[in-house]
Amino acid sequence: MDVLSDLLHRARARNALVRQLIQRPPWSLTFADAPPLTVVTTLAGHASIRFDEAGTAPVRLSAGDIALITGPGRYTIADAPSTPPQVVIHGRNKHLVGGRQETLGLARSLGPRTYGDGAPGATVMLRGAYELRGDVGDRLLGMLPPVATVPSGPATRAALDLLATEVTRDEPGQDTVLDRALDLVLVLALRAWCARPGRAPAWYQALADPAIGDALRLLHEEPGRRWTVAELATQAGMSRAAFAARFTALVGEPPIAYLTGWRMALGADLLRNTEATVAAVAHEVGYDDPFAFSVAFKRARGVTPSTWRRQAH
């Protein structure tokens, strides 16, 4: 499994909140409690995304464009940058801030997960919210700026059409279908965004190198294995010195430092999300000695595994 696939598999959507808006201008939705990651797209018409932070320019979405928004800042999605807030959303609760005539359409249900006035020629917007948690989720979010936009294209359009079809259905297993459809949109959007020059993190660019890409895949497939630089170099068909130098140049850190960072991320999430003992977590991520794991974890996180677990809960 390659690095991006591993991150996405571990941080995939669960109980994602997916909603569709079909509304004529003017309309405006302010999201006060932004989740860690939001996927926004317009299927018809256009939209504008503006942020409360000073100095952040509004982002315009045309039909088929996708925006990936990383939290936790407050933001507004509207038909135009100048449209004042009409509805403020806190989690799953809506607060109307405009007059009744102005906001009635935004609050009207048109069917499962769909709101608006449903008028011909209206803007059609989809929004999917990810509640990513944990260190693995943070590594995925670390790929992105506050907002990353992906222009409309054939690769993403088919996935958007699937999500748009499924969001209005209400059949057995529908939540799982929506989670996976949203995952597909996210994967394709991330891949398209990372393909643009100067956007992808170093490790993503390193995946294109046959030797280093294979080494990264091995580290993610078997993080608990007792890897050495010499063994990784052999797997890559390179000398130890040449492999270490190339890995460091492409990824931005030495092989064992990368492996340790990944193990600490996995360990942190296991401590947070499971009842496994520290010794069991240590073994899971490649440490036969729980004390050695605790020393490495404290060096990376500043606290012991036991303290981390208590603070996480």
Side-chain angles (χ1 to χ4, degrees):
M1 184 179 294
D2 67 71
V3 182
L4 181 58
S5 295
D6 195 17
L7 286 175
L8 289 164
H9 174 73
R10 297 176 187 274
R12 64 185 180 177
R14 294 175 179 86
N15 302 315
L17 182 64
V18 183
R19 295 292 183 265
Q20 179 174 232
L21 176 73
I22 305 175
Q23 180 72 32
R24 290 171 299 178
W27 58 269
S28 177
L29 300 169
T30 296
F31 296 89
D33 303 315
L37 177 63
T38 306
V39 180
V40 177
T41 184
T42 48
L43 301 178
H46 60 269
S48 173
I49 305 172
R50 64 178 186 265
F51 302 85
D52 280 8
E53 289 83 357
T56 304
V59 173
R60 178 183 169 87
L61 295 182
S62 299
D65 293 349
I66 300 172
L68 306 177
I69 306 171
T70 56
R74 176 182 171 119
Y75 62 87
T76 298
I77 307 176
D79 64 296
S82 59
T83 303
Q86 298 173 0
V87 174
V88 178
I89 299 176
H90 295 269
R92 295 173 184 254
N93 300 315
K94 300 182 181 70
H95 172 64
L96 306 182
V97 297
R100 177 177 174 80
Q101 195 68 28
E102 182 181 37
T103 61
L104 184 60
L106 293 172
R108 182 187 298 125
S109 175
L110 300 175
R113 309 172 196 86
T114 302
Y115 299 87
D117 58 25
T123 296
V124 181
M125 183 191 79
L126 286 175
R127 178 181 180 270
Y130 274 84
E131 290 295 337
L132 296 181
R133 291 290 182 265
D135 280 36
V136 172
D138 289 343
R139 288 171 79 97
L140 178 60
L141 294 174
M143 295 176 59
L144 298 167
V147 58
T149 57
V150 177
S152 175
T156 55
R157 188 71 206 199
L160 292 177
D161 289 343
L162 172 64
L163 183 59
T165 299
E166 294 295 336
V167 74
T168 60
R169 303 178 72 175
D170 201 4
E171 300 182 14
Q174 197 62 31
D175 288 343
T176 299
V177 170
L178 287 172
D179 285 350
R180 298 293 78 81
L182 186 61
D183 281 340
L184 177 60
V185 172
L186 175 62
V187 172
L188 295 175
L190 280 173
R191 195 161 63 184
W193 186 80
C194 287
R196 298 163 71 178
R199 299 294 179 87
W203 60 259
Y204 185 93
Q205 299 177 55
L207 297 177
D209 183 273
I212 305 306
D214 281 348
L216 286 167
R217 176 181 54 79
L218 290 171
L219 294 178
H220 278 256
E221 286 181 349
E222 299 183 79
R225 182 169 167 177
R226 293 183 181 181
W227 291 108
T228 65
V229 176
E231 184 177 7
L232 288 168
T234 299
Q235 294 279 356
M238 300 174 67
S239 71
R240 183 184 183 282
F243 170 79
R246 187 165 184 79
F247 189 103
T248 303
L250 293 179
V251 179
E253 58 183 335
I256 301 306
Y258 180 91
L259 174 61
T260 300
W262 180 233
R263 285 173 168 173
M264 294 304 103
L266 296 177
D269 283 354
L270 287 170
L271 291 166
R272 176 190 288 109
N273 300 324
T274 75
E275 298 299 323
T277 64
V278 172
V281 171
H283 181 74
E284 180 75 15
V285 299
Y287 290 82
D288 290 334
D289 181 1
F291 178 75
F293 168 71
S294 295
V295 170
F297 192 91
K298 186 173 183 179
R299 186 183 302 119
R301 295 293 185 270
V303 295
T304 65
S306 297
T307 300
W308 173 270
R309 169 170 274 166
R310 286 196 302 271
Q311 292 176 348
H313 293 100

